[in-house]
Amino acid sequence: MKIIKSTFFILKKVIQIIPLYFIFSIITIILNAILVWGQLYIIEQTVTMVELGNSTFKEILLFIVVLSCINLFCSSVNRFFGDYLKPKYRHTWMKKIQYLLYEKAKELPIEYYDDPKKYDELSRALKQDLSSINAFDNFINFVKNIVSMAVMVVYICVNVPILFIITLFASIINIVCGSKILKIYHDEYKETELDRRKRVYVARVFYLEKYTMDIKTTNVGEMLKNMEKEGYEAVDTRCNNDNKKSRKWYFLDNGIYYVLNQFIIYFYLMYSVFFKGMLIGKFSALASACHKFSGRFYSLVSSFTSLRRNLIEIEDFVWLLNYQPEKEIENDNNVIDFKEVHIQNLSFAYPNQEQPSLQNISIQIKRGQKIAIIGYNGAGKTTLTKLLLKLYPPLNGEIFIDDMDYPNINRKQISSLFSIVLQNFQIYCATVLENILMHRPNNDEEKEKAIHALKKVGLYEKVMEYPNGLDTILTKEFNNDGIELSGGERQRMVLARVFASDAPIIILDEPTSALDPTAEKNINDEIMRLCEEENKTLILISHRLSTIVNVDTIYMMKEGQIIEEGNHHSLMLKKGSYYEMFEAQAKLYRES
Amino acid sequence: MEDYKKHSVLSYLKLIFSLDKRLIGVLFINVISSLTWNLLPIGILAYMTKIYQKNPTKEGFQMVFWIILANTIYHLIYAVIIHLIDYEMDSRVSRRIEYKLSTLLYSKLDEVDYEVYQSNDFLNHYEKALDDGASYMFGTYWSFTEIIEELVQILSVGTIFALISPWIILYVFVVGILTAVIFRITTKISWLVSEKNAQHFRERGYIKRLFFLKDASIDLKSTTLSDLYLDMNSEIGDKIIGNIRHDFSKRAILNVLGGIATESIIAVALSLIAFTTMKNNNIVILASLVAAASTLADIVTGLTSSIARFKENVIRRFDVYRVLDQPCVLEKEGTINTLPDFKEITFDHVHFSYQANEEKTLNDISFRIEQGQKIAIVGENGAGKTTLVRLFLKLIEPTEGAIFYNQIPYKDIQVKTIRKTYATVFQNYQIYSFSVAENILLKKLETKDEEIKVIEALKKVGLWEKISHLEKGINTICTKEFDKDGVEFSGGERQKLVIARVFVSSAPILILDEPNSALDPLAEKHIFDEIFSYAIDKTLIFISHRFSTTIHADKIYLFEQGSILEQGTHHELMLKNGEYKRMFMTQAEKYQEEAE
């Protein structure tokens, strides 16, 4: 059923997106049918005309020329379609379907990136932009094969009706055996998926640069090669066994087929020639029709197999395009005049995880306040920021901006509220300007802002040395002329986003981990100044306690809970966990 | 393309056949099978009509019956053989080629110099070769087989025609030349278009990756970034379509002309056959000749498309050769493969720059590290610290100057041998989808002794608590990639796991490159204490831009812009009142305040 649904879905999409492609595909089916008939008829009629001897050579020649022209017309149109229109429309499809896919991907809840299984679905769906149109082509191919077979069946049966029964019988046998075989391979495909995935994993480790150091300096390469070998052997053995299992069905299928095709049909036709006065011309045309028919029959079966495989493959694609994101609240998109964030008794657990990542968190942050969230590894600091960004819905509790609660604030408003630098930040393959603004600059004012930001993070001079200045493309993803930034420069570039943003709340998650002490201090000072000058709110997450000494309130987290809060001074006096952590770090800097 | 001229199609075919010897046998049987499929029916047809012509009675029919029966039995046997081979072919040989090729490519990686990786191009080719190389190889093999089959068939059908009606052969020959010319032009057009679009495909590939990149998902959701890339993707799509529209119309017209030429063979053949039969009044061979003509036309059409497919596949051999041809210098240098016990490493006026004429990454570095010393290397970003690690491990070679192990120059020692003397925790550490124990040992867990070592290491980094509570303990698979019961680690835990590798290593020198970036302060202090007490007899090299590691070091090297700016113990450097002191104080200031 799923397959039929997928088929309809693809047909619908193709008709919507590239209707002309659909029409041309239908035309090729028709032309192909005419061609099949023409090729049979030209042979039969020529031989018969010669054999009967009642036509002149001129008449025969005329017949051949007329029919050849029809045939050539059909095949030429089909060829032009395949050679020119097909690639053109396929790329139109790629362009438009990618747009739709990416739009949907953007709307997916962030859980899809956390759960490996869902993530697989997502990444498969995005990779199916091409296989989806292949599925359509395979469907058309399948129909084309059926139609041309039908033409042959009609041709054969009009001449010798009894052959129809034989053909029907052969088809039934073929379908039965075919489905048995398909099942065996389908099971195999499903059950060896893990082994195949392992091989993909090994390949990925080998071609990603981040792994090369390990491969060169440790034994890891050998282990991976072993993994690959085991995977290959497992699949190969399985496949060999399945071949043996499916053999009898093949032999049955082929055996019956050859007995019918080579024996009964030849026998019947020759019998007609000898005793019923069938003309040689007709005989040879029918024999060749039967021969071609069987060839077609096999391509029908194989086109069905690849169609089926294709349709199974694109399940994820169909799912993603059908995905209905939760409706956004259409509340006039008003820019919120932010005054305070209020987190109330917030609890949260990741899906499929028993232990809650956040428990009963309450924080109130006023405009212009600077707070820091610190804690041990895995304390839930990053999770809290993700909830603040409305990437996950809380399990319990609420978050308010002013007096609006989160369910009533839409994505757009959220993104206008926050500017963020995450732990795993990314530099994108785009110009320097675009990397800072996160969109194409609309006017000179925005450009000025980006320049200002670059100056603040101390990158302006460096950028101006690049051949294209602010329009230089970063990373070498597109082009080897692109600029690769060093670790520290990357972090500065990302921090520049904060300085160029109008958002009233800044979230920084380990913002200076790749910076040396001098740069760290300078940038921290700049950020503090920015917050004061523009009355912005700062939420800082850090391991380096030295960077947070000056904030208004420090929240210390442990196992998803806030265990201490207050400013640096009061927490030090308390001599609790904060004190302990601070001292541990400070000791490293004190001479014994 | 000029560089790749040396790899002829022939040598590529040799390479393919050498990956699996069975391919030759399969080729042979396929040729026989094609003859059976296409030529046998013509022969039988001719033979049967001849009998009918001579003897159209019951007796004649009896003879025909035996022929039909023999033909059927032959086909049944043939079906069995073909099935066994076809299936071998389809499901197993292709996989074997894939496996063999990836093994070949993986081994190649061992030999390629580290420097080569730095160029994006190499890894791009490598990825291509690994992903698609095998399927193109198989495609090459498959279309090659088809071409051979078709040539054999054309030769045999052609001989029959040459005897009866040589004009047809002449016509086929002319058509052949015409299509070859057309083919040359069209492949050139296709190649040009794919060259033009290659850049756009690369861009499009990046954008696609971005949309399922975990680390980009938050930016895509919470900023305007997605609009930027959606627009960009549409623009790229338009450019691709533009190129196709521009160049493919010409290609299509040429292909249509070529198609008309090949398909006209049947019309010409029919006319000629009709003409000769009518002139000679010889109807007997008429039917079989017509069948042969139609087969011939089919084969010629088939041949043109096989050649096209062959060309498409064979051109991709360069993806594989670009990798296999990559010259290796450093990885093959040196002959010494056993080293005496470690005493000292000496850098003697070492200079290094990644590219000629570029600013030097390291400038005149000289130092000596002795067995048992604890060394801290500190400096700002871009000071050349990571380059230094690469030099230690002989991943790269000094552009000037030399490095010595004891007194033996690095140049004379094999890379594998040198690297064995180090246990390194890299800045960009990785966790693999192996078990916890294997991730620490980086080999299969084999002995009880190793098990004890692993547990010991886990305790030292503070992960034993977590691991011991897992059902499968140290045999739990890391990450959920292949095992839904796999264990996932947080950033800090990942780093701890990687540091555990140091504790099981028997290497005399430990290098830790920014080992503490993801650790919370308490874990950091704890692990440092453990490392120091573990490495009491070992040589320890800390690389960091934090100064928390420096106080207890025997010697500190402060790097600035590729040179050693200051060196000495913490005490000496503080007294010196230079750059070190300034940087140390910036970082320590906040902590010091409190202490006062």
mmCIF file of all heavy atoms in Angstrom, chain B residues 15-41:
data_model
loop_
_atom_site.group_PDB
_atom_site.id
_atom_site.type_symbol
_atom_site.label_atom_id
_atom_site.label_comp_id
_atom_site.label_asym_id
_atom_site.label_seq_id
_atom_site.Cartn_x
_atom_site.Cartn_y
_atom_site.Cartn_z
ATOM 1 N N LEU B 15 43.361 -3.107 -14.458
ATOM 2 C CA LEU B 15 43.163 -2.903 -13.023
ATOM 3 C C LEU B 15 41.856 -3.548 -12.568
ATOM 4 O O LEU B 15 41.804 -4.242 -11.558
ATOM 5 C CB LEU B 15 43.154 -1.401 -12.716
ATOM 6 C CG LEU B 15 42.851 -0.997 -11.273
ATOM 7 C CD1 LEU B 15 43.991 -1.399 -10.354
ATOM 8 C CD2 LEU B 15 42.621 0.503 -11.165
ATOM 9 N N ILE B 16 40.801 -3.326 -13.346
ATOM 10 C CA ILE B 16 39.493 -3.885 -12.974
ATOM 11 C C ILE B 16 39.550 -5.403 -12.950
ATOM 12 O O ILE B 16 39.121 -6.043 -11.983
ATOM 13 C CB ILE B 16 38.404 -3.417 -13.954
ATOM 14 C CG1 ILE B 16 38.243 -1.902 -13.876
ATOM 15 C CG2 ILE B 16 37.067 -4.102 -13.651
ATOM 16 C CD1 ILE B 16 37.326 -1.328 -14.923
ATOM 17 N N PHE B 17 40.120 -5.973 -14.015
ATOM 18 C CA PHE B 17 40.165 -7.434 -14.068
ATOM 19 C C PHE B 17 41.050 -8.005 -12.976
ATOM 20 O O PHE B 17 40.827 -9.118 -12.516
ATOM 21 C CB PHE B 17 40.625 -7.911 -15.441
ATOM 22 C CG PHE B 17 39.530 -7.861 -16.470
ATOM 23 C CD1 PHE B 17 39.482 -6.869 -17.426
ATOM 24 C CD2 PHE B 17 38.507 -8.808 -16.454
ATOM 25 C CE1 PHE B 17 38.460 -6.806 -18.355
ATOM 26 C CE2 PHE B 17 37.480 -8.749 -17.380
ATOM 27 C CZ PHE B 17 37.449 -7.756 -18.331
ATOM 28 N N SER B 18 42.058 -7.227 -12.562
ATOM 29 C CA SER B 18 42.933 -7.745 -11.514
ATOM 30 C C SER B 18 42.232 -7.746 -10.150
ATOM 31 O O SER B 18 42.629 -8.460 -9.252
ATOM 32 C CB SER B 18 44.219 -6.926 -11.445
ATOM 33 O OG SER B 18 43.941 -5.669 -10.883
ATOM 34 N N LEU B 19 41.189 -6.938 -10.008
ATOM 35 C CA LEU B 19 40.484 -6.917 -8.722
ATOM 36 C C LEU B 19 39.713 -8.212 -8.505
ATOM 37 O O LEU B 19 39.534 -8.653 -7.389
ATOM 38 C CB LEU B 19 39.518 -5.730 -8.659
ATOM 39 C CG LEU B 19 40.143 -4.350 -8.542
ATOM 40 C CD1 LEU B 19 39.081 -3.282 -8.512
ATOM 41 C CD2 LEU B 19 41.005 -4.245 -7.299
ATOM 42 N N ASP B 20 39.223 -8.802 -9.586
ATOM 43 C CA ASP B 20 38.529 -10.079 -9.448
ATOM 44 C C ASP B 20 38.719 -10.889 -10.730
ATOM 45 O O ASP B 20 38.171 -10.551 -11.778
ATOM 46 C CB ASP B 20 37.034 -9.827 -9.185
ATOM 47 C CG ASP B 20 36.341 -11.099 -8.737
ATOM 48 O OD1 ASP B 20 36.941 -12.189 -8.924
ATOM 49 O OD2 ASP B 20 35.235 -11.013 -8.200
ATOM 50 N N LYS B 21 39.499 -11.952 -10.598
ATOM 51 C CA LYS B 21 39.867 -12.751 -11.772
ATOM 52 C C LYS B 21 38.649 -13.386 -12.446
ATOM 53 O O LYS B 21 38.650 -13.658 -13.639
ATOM 54 C CB LYS B 21 40.858 -13.854 -11.357
ATOM 55 C CG LYS B 21 42.191 -13.328 -10.870
ATOM 56 C CD LYS B 21 43.157 -13.160 -12.017
ATOM 57 C CE LYS B 21 44.511 -12.607 -11.643
ATOM 58 N NZ LYS B 21 44.653 -11.787 -10.464
ATOM 59 N N ARG B 22 37.613 -13.623 -11.683
ATOM 60 C CA ARG B 22 36.438 -14.299 -12.245
ATOM 61 C C ARG B 22 35.792 -13.495 -13.362
ATOM 62 O O ARG B 22 35.047 -14.024 -14.170
ATOM 63 C CB ARG B 22 35.410 -14.530 -11.140
ATOM 64 C CG ARG B 22 35.802 -15.652 -10.203
ATOM 65 C CD ARG B 22 34.788 -15.796 -9.114
ATOM 66 N NE ARG B 22 34.822 -14.636 -8.218
ATOM 67 C CZ ARG B 22 34.083 -14.539 -7.124
ATOM 68 N NH1 ARG B 22 33.253 -15.508 -6.801
ATOM 69 N NH2 ARG B 22 34.173 -13.483 -6.354
ATOM 70 N N LEU B 23 36.076 -12.207 -13.385
ATOM 71 C CA LEU B 23 35.437 -11.350 -14.380
ATOM 72 C C LEU B 23 35.713 -11.830 -15.807
ATOM 73 O O LEU B 23 34.859 -11.731 -16.676
ATOM 74 C CB LEU B 23 35.928 -9.908 -14.219
ATOM 75 C CG LEU B 23 35.397 -9.164 -12.997
ATOM 76 C CD1 LEU B 23 36.030 -7.796 -12.902
ATOM 77 C CD2 LEU B 23 33.891 -9.025 -13.062
ATOM 78 N N ILE B 24 36.912 -12.374 -16.047
ATOM 79 C CA ILE B 24 37.252 -12.810 -17.396
ATOM 80 C C ILE B 24 36.323 -13.940 -17.831
ATOM 81 O O ILE B 24 35.779 -13.930 -18.940
ATOM 82 C CB ILE B 24 38.722 -13.273 -17.458
ATOM 83 C CG1 ILE B 24 39.629 -12.094 -17.106
ATOM 84 C CG2 ILE B 24 39.066 -13.806 -18.842
ATOM 85 C CD1 ILE B 24 41.064 -12.469 -16.852
ATOM 86 N N GLY B 25 36.132 -14.896 -16.916
ATOM 87 C CA GLY B 25 35.250 -16.018 -17.221
ATOM 88 C C GLY B 25 33.833 -15.541 -17.487
ATOM 89 O O GLY B 25 33.168 -15.989 -18.435
ATOM 90 N N VAL B 26 33.395 -14.624 -16.675
ATOM 91 C CA VAL B 26 32.033 -14.120 -16.819
ATOM 92 C C VAL B 26 31.873 -13.427 -18.169
ATOM 93 O O VAL B 26 30.871 -13.591 -18.866
ATOM 94 C CB VAL B 26 31.706 -13.160 -15.659
ATOM 95 C CG1 VAL B 26 30.321 -12.588 -15.829
ATOM 96 C CG2 VAL B 26 31.802 -13.885 -14.330
ATOM 97 N N LEU B 27 32.901 -12.690 -18.561
ATOM 98 C CA LEU B 27 32.876 -12.011 -19.862
ATOM 99 C C LEU B 27 32.694 -13.022 -20.988
ATOM 100 O O LEU B 27 31.848 -12.859 -21.871
ATOM 101 C CB LEU B 27 34.189 -11.241 -20.053
ATOM 102 C CG LEU B 27 34.437 -10.656 -21.432
ATOM 103 C CD1 LEU B 27 33.538 -9.452 -21.666
ATOM 104 C CD2 LEU B 27 35.877 -10.246 -21.620
ATOM 105 N N PHE B 28 33.488 -14.087 -20.933
ATOM 106 C CA PHE B 28 33.458 -15.107 -21.963
ATOM 107 C C PHE B 28 32.057 -15.705 -22.083
ATOM 108 O O PHE B 28 31.497 -15.825 -23.180
ATOM 109 C CB PHE B 28 34.495 -16.176 -21.597
ATOM 110 C CG PHE B 28 34.601 -17.270 -22.608
ATOM 111 C CD1 PHE B 28 35.147 -17.015 -23.857
ATOM 112 C CD2 PHE B 28 34.155 -18.547 -22.314
ATOM 113 C CE1 PHE B 28 35.249 -18.028 -24.803
ATOM 114 C CE2 PHE B 28 34.245 -19.559 -23.253
ATOM 115 C CZ PHE B 28 34.795 -19.305 -24.497
ATOM 116 N N ILE B 29 31.486 -16.062 -20.956
ATOM 117 C CA ILE B 29 30.181 -16.708 -20.986
ATOM 118 C C ILE B 29 29.100 -15.753 -21.477
ATOM 119 O O ILE B 29 28.174 -16.153 -22.198
ATOM 120 C CB ILE B 29 29.860 -17.279 -19.590
ATOM 121 C CG1 ILE B 29 30.796 -18.463 -19.372
ATOM 122 C CG2 ILE B 29 28.403 -17.708 -19.488
ATOM 123 C CD1 ILE B 29 30.640 -19.184 -18.118
ATOM 124 N N ASN B 30 29.252 -14.491 -21.151
ATOM 125 C CA ASN B 30 28.270 -13.515 -21.633
ATOM 126 C C ASN B 30 28.301 -13.381 -23.148
ATOM 127 O O ASN B 30 27.266 -13.187 -23.773
ATOM 128 C CB ASN B 30 28.508 -12.162 -20.985
ATOM 129 C CG ASN B 30 27.750 -12.037 -19.693
ATOM 130 O OD1 ASN B 30 26.551 -12.288 -19.663
ATOM 131 N ND2 ASN B 30 28.431 -11.701 -18.620
ATOM 132 N N VAL B 31 29.500 -13.465 -23.723
ATOM 133 C CA VAL B 31 29.604 -13.381 -25.185
ATOM 134 C C VAL B 31 28.861 -14.564 -25.819
ATOM 135 O O VAL B 31 28.069 -14.404 -26.746
ATOM 136 C CB VAL B 31 31.086 -13.361 -25.630
ATOM 137 C CG1 VAL B 31 31.192 -13.504 -27.135
ATOM 138 C CG2 VAL B 31 31.740 -12.071 -25.185
ATOM 139 N N ILE B 32 29.108 -15.745 -25.283
ATOM 140 C CA ILE B 32 28.421 -16.931 -25.800
ATOM 141 C C ILE B 32 26.910 -16.773 -25.661
ATOM 142 O O ILE B 32 26.131 -17.075 -26.575
ATOM 143 C CB ILE B 32 28.882 -18.189 -25.037
ATOM 144 C CG1 ILE B 32 30.371 -18.341 -25.269
ATOM 145 C CG2 ILE B 32 28.082 -19.405 -25.481
ATOM 146 C CD1 ILE B 32 30.888 -19.704 -25.087
ATOM 147 N N SER B 33 26.512 -16.266 -24.531
ATOM 148 C CA SER B 33 25.087 -16.127 -24.281
ATOM 149 C C SER B 33 24.443 -15.166 -25.282
ATOM 150 O O SER B 33 23.337 -15.405 -25.756
ATOM 151 C CB SER B 33 24.892 -15.661 -22.845
ATOM 152 O OG SER B 33 24.043 -14.572 -22.798
ATOM 153 N N SER B 34 25.148 -14.096 -25.618
ATOM 154 C CA SER B 34 24.548 -13.146 -26.548
ATOM 155 C C SER B 34 24.417 -13.760 -27.940
ATOM 156 O O SER B 34 23.452 -13.501 -28.653
ATOM 157 C CB SER B 34 25.382 -11.869 -26.610
ATOM 158 O OG SER B 34 26.577 -12.133 -27.279
ATOM 159 N N LEU B 35 25.402 -14.585 -28.282
ATOM 160 C CA LEU B 35 25.304 -15.267 -29.580
ATOM 161 C C LEU B 35 24.090 -16.184 -29.580
ATOM 162 O O LEU B 35 23.335 -16.248 -30.544
ATOM 163 C CB LEU B 35 26.569 -16.074 -29.857
ATOM 164 C CG LEU B 35 27.800 -15.240 -30.225
ATOM 165 C CD1 LEU B 35 29.022 -16.119 -30.374
ATOM 166 C CD2 LEU B 35 27.553 -14.469 -31.516
ATOM 167 N N THR B 36 23.902 -16.888 -28.481
ATOM 168 C CA THR B 36 22.757 -17.779 -28.362
ATOM 169 C C THR B 36 21.466 -16.998 -28.531
ATOM 170 O O THR B 36 20.567 -17.383 -29.269
ATOM 171 C CB THR B 36 22.741 -18.429 -26.962
ATOM 172 O OG1 THR B 36 23.958 -19.100 -26.780
ATOM 173 C CG2 THR B 36 21.578 -19.374 -26.819
ATOM 174 N N TRP B 37 21.408 -15.907 -27.856
ATOM 175 C CA TRP B 37 20.156 -15.155 -27.805
ATOM 176 C C TRP B 37 19.807 -14.552 -29.164
ATOM 177 O O TRP B 37 18.670 -14.601 -29.604
ATOM 178 C CB TRP B 37 20.262 -14.072 -26.738
ATOM 179 C CG TRP B 37 18.980 -13.348 -26.530
ATOM 180 C CD1 TRP B 37 18.702 -12.071 -26.885
ATOM 181 C CD2 TRP B 37 17.790 -13.871 -25.959
ATOM 182 N NE1 TRP B 37 17.425 -11.757 -26.561
ATOM 183 C CE2 TRP B 37 16.830 -12.840 -25.980
ATOM 184 C CE3 TRP B 37 17.444 -15.112 -25.411
ATOM 185 C CZ2 TRP B 37 15.536 -13.008 -25.492
ATOM 186 C CZ3 TRP B 37 16.152 -15.273 -24.922
ATOM 187 C CH2 TRP B 37 15.215 -14.232 -24.961
ATOM 188 N N ASN B 38 20.791 -13.988 -29.839
ATOM 189 C CA ASN B 38 20.476 -13.255 -31.058
ATOM 190 C C ASN B 38 20.691 -14.028 -32.351
ATOM 191 O O ASN B 38 19.980 -13.801 -33.326
ATOM 192 C CB ASN B 38 21.282 -11.955 -31.117
ATOM 193 C CG ASN B 38 20.693 -10.913 -30.195
ATOM 194 O OD1 ASN B 38 19.469 -10.815 -30.081
ATOM 195 N ND2 ASN B 38 21.543 -10.167 -29.518
ATOM 196 N N LEU B 39 21.696 -14.910 -32.377
ATOM 197 C CA LEU B 39 22.011 -15.536 -33.662
ATOM 198 C C LEU B 39 21.356 -16.892 -33.854
ATOM 199 O O LEU B 39 20.990 -17.258 -34.962
ATOM 200 C CB LEU B 39 23.526 -15.657 -33.838
ATOM 201 C CG LEU B 39 24.242 -14.321 -33.909
ATOM 202 C CD1 LEU B 39 25.688 -14.507 -34.312
ATOM 203 C CD2 LEU B 39 23.558 -13.389 -34.896
ATOM 204 N N LEU B 40 21.181 -17.597 -32.759
ATOM 205 C CA LEU B 40 20.587 -18.925 -32.889
ATOM 206 C C LEU B 40 19.208 -18.872 -33.548
ATOM 207 O O LEU B 40 18.927 -19.664 -34.451
ATOM 208 C CB LEU B 40 20.541 -19.596 -31.513
ATOM 209 C CG LEU B 40 20.362 -21.108 -31.534
ATOM 210 C CD1 LEU B 40 21.533 -21.769 -32.251
ATOM 211 C CD2 LEU B 40 20.231 -21.653 -30.122
ATOM 212 N N PRO B 41 18.339 -17.957 -33.144
ATOM 213 C CA PRO B 41 17.012 -17.916 -33.776
ATOM 214 C C PRO B 41 17.099 -17.719 -35.292
ATOM 215 O O PRO B 41 16.317 -18.319 -36.034
ATOM 216 C CB PRO B 41 16.337 -16.701 -33.135
ATOM 217 C CG PRO B 41 17.058 -16.476 -31.877
ATOM 218 C CD PRO B 41 18.450 -16.954 -32.078
#
